[in-house]
């Protein structure tokens, strides 16, 4: 039986996808009709889990006209969600693809400022929903006003409730790791900024991850590096999972898809190596879809079945 997953997104967005024949500075560029999807780290994780057949609830803070549109978009995808209403307008992110070359411009806005009461209300919403969730995934950027200890407080509340907290963010990571999390996932570039040095790939990434595990900051650490695959380190495992070969249509949401595939596999009782393989396949499946569509279940299943096993490093 698959256990329910809970996601927490303090800075969601409406994701807008457009195409245009050519990027010409200063010109009036004609575009396709926009594709609009709900977005933001944890929301995308919940969208992926839902597509793959898992149970999920997306907790998020949203306000204004954009926040209403985000809630409607989640409803259209049949994603169970609970909204913490805020006063400020939720952000929109815009991605535009040049059809002639396939190049994509991604415009990512900073999002609203959370008031202290709104920040606390979002964490209280988490506390009320933790019961019955085996995994809680905190994912995405932090909006202004969230503070340096937002993720640390989320991790603490999960620990006190007996839930496992997965952190997938590059913001305010250090205090959360000092508090201790079940799993930390980020890409190599983000981790090098946290570490303050070039960590190398794949052995250097695995060494850094092993340091975090040995220090008690996380039970699992996963480092991703695009088409080079992903490294997972725990107390009894240190592996590299190569990705399948695919021709990308869009990279939008691939990292969030990775986390969705990984956490759902864990919730289904799969081993860490098998969960990593499903994560890499889910990210690759998202590369096959256009814009902000995310993965298709049939693509994930096909890719998983043809992948090489992870190897020890």
């Amino acid at each position: 039986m698959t256990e329910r997953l809970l996601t927490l997104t303090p800075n969601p967005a409406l994701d807008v996808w457009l195409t245009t024949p050519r990027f010409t500075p200063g010109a009036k560029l004609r575009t396709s009709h926009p594709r609009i999807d709900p977005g933001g780290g944890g929301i995308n994780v919940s969208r992926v889990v839902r597509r793959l057949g898992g149970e999920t609830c997306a907790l998020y803070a949203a306000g204004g006209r954009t926040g209403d549109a985000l809630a409607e978009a989640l409803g259209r995808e049949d994603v169970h969600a609970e909204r913490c209403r805020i006063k400020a307008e939720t952000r929109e992110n815009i991605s535009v693809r040049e059809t002639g070359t396939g190049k994509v411009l991604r415009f990512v806005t900073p999002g609203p400022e959370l008031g202290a009461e709104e920040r606390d209300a979002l964490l209280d919403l988490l506390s009320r929903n933790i019961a019955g969730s085996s995994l809680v995934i905190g994912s995405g950027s932090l909006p202004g006003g969230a503070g340096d200890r937002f993720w640390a407080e989320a991790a603490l509340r999960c620990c006190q409730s007996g839930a496992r907290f997965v952190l997938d963010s590059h913001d305010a990571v250090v205090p959360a790791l000092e508090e201790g999390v079940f799993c930390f996932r980020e890409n190599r570039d983000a981790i090098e900024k946290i570490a303050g040095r070039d960590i190398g790939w794949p052995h250097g990434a695995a060494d850094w991850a092993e340091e975090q595990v040995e220090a008690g900051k996380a039970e699992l650490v996963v480092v991703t590096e695009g088409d080079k695959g992903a490294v997972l380190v725990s107390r009894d495992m240190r592996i590299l999972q190569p990705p399948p070969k695919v021709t990308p249509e869009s990279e939008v949401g691939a990292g969030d898809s990775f986390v969705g595939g990984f956490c759902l596999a864990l919730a289904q009782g799969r081993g860490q190596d098998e969960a990593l393989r499903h994560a890499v396949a889910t990210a690759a499946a998202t590369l096959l879809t256009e814009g902000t569509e995310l993965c298709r279940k049939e693509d994930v299943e096909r890719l998983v079945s043809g992948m090489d096993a992870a190897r020890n490093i």
Side-chain angles (χ1 to χ4, degrees):
M1 179 178 177
T2 302
E3 296 171 298
R4 179 171 172 259
L5 300 173
L6 194 65
T7 65
L8 178 64
T9 313
N11 198 21
L14 265 189
D15 285 338
V16 182
W17 173 262
L18 302 163
T19 62
T20 192
R22 185 177 295 107
F23 296 147
T24 306
K28 184 181 289 186
L29 305 181
R30 303 293 181 181
T31 73
S32 61
H33 289 291
R35 177 189 174 98
I36 299 176
D37 288 297
I43 283 178
N44 282 338
V45 171
S46 280
R47 290 174 65 202
V48 167
V49 168
R50 190 74 186 90
R51 289 177 178 216
L52 298 182
E55 293 297 321
T56 182
C57 178
L59 309 179
Y60 66 102
R65 172 192 59 83
T66 315
D68 293 341
L70 178 64
E72 292 172 6
L74 283 168
R76 288 195 298 270
E77 292 202 22
D78 195 29
V79 175
H80 179 57
E82 290 196 29
R83 173 181 176 182
C84 176
R85 292 183 176 271
I86 61 174
K87 294 178 182 177
E89 190 82 21
T90 293
R91 64 188 178 138
E92 290 182 87
N93 293 333
I94 301 172
S95 299
V96 187
R97 181 169 128 186
E98 187 179 49
T99 55
T101 65
K103 293 179 180 178
V104 177
L105 294 178
R106 299 178 66 181
F107 302 92
V108 179
T109 55
E113 186 87 11
L114 290 187
E117 292 183 357
E118 293 170 334
R119 173 191 181 278
D120 292 344
L122 181 57
L123 287 169
D124 289 344
L125 180 63
L126 170 65
S127 293
R128 291 196 299 273
N129 281 274
I130 289 175
S133 297
S134 63
L135 285 175
V136 178
I137 302 105
S139 183
S141 62
L142 290 178
D148 290 341
R149 285 196 52 79
F150 182 88
W151 292 129
E153 291 184 32
L156 180 60
R157 294 185 186 213
C158 289
C159 180
Q160 291 172 340
S161 299
R164 297 176 290 170
F165 184 64
V166 177
L167 178 59
D168 176 37
S169 178
H170 56 266
D171 290 338
V173 165
V174 173
L177 293 179
E178 292 297 333
E179 194 67 54
V181 301
F182 168 66
C183 177
F184 175 57
R185 195 292 309 191
E186 254 301 350
N187 61 57
R188 177 187 166 190
D189 286 345
I191 284 176
E192 287 184 341
K193 291 177 182 177
I194 295 167
R197 67 180 193 274
D198 183 353
I199 61 174
W201 183 265
H203 294 90
D207 290 343
W208 183 88
E210 191 171 343
E211 290 171 10
Q212 313 314 304
V213 172
E214 289 180 349
K217 296 179 179 180
E219 294 182 37
L220 300 175
V221 176
V222 179
V223 184
T224 55
E225 178 67 337
D227 61 4
K228 295 180 181 178
V231 163
L232 178 147
V233 176
S234 65
R235 291 206 175 272
D236 55 5
M237 189 170 291
R238 179 174 157 138
I239 57 175
L240 168 66
Q241 175 63 62
K245 294 186 183 300
V246 297
T247 301
E249 285 290 328
S250 168
E251 296 180 359
V252 178
D256 300 331
S257 298
F258 179 100
V259 176
F262 183 71
C263 290
L264 178 58
L266 289 178
Q268 291 171 333
R270 302 179 190 272
Q272 295 171 7
D273 55 344
E274 193 175 355
L276 187 66
R277 186 162 62 252
H278 275 76
V280 172
T282 305
T286 289
L287 297 179
L288 296 174
T289 60
E290 186 177 51
T292 51
E293 184 181 348
L294 301 181
C295 62
R296 292 183 289 258
K297 185 177 181 180
E298 58 269 27
D299 288 334
V300 175
E301 292 173 345
R302 174 177 55 82
L303 291 171
V304 166
S305 66
M307 286 174 62
D308 295 333
R311 66 175 187 266
N312 294 325
I313 57 171

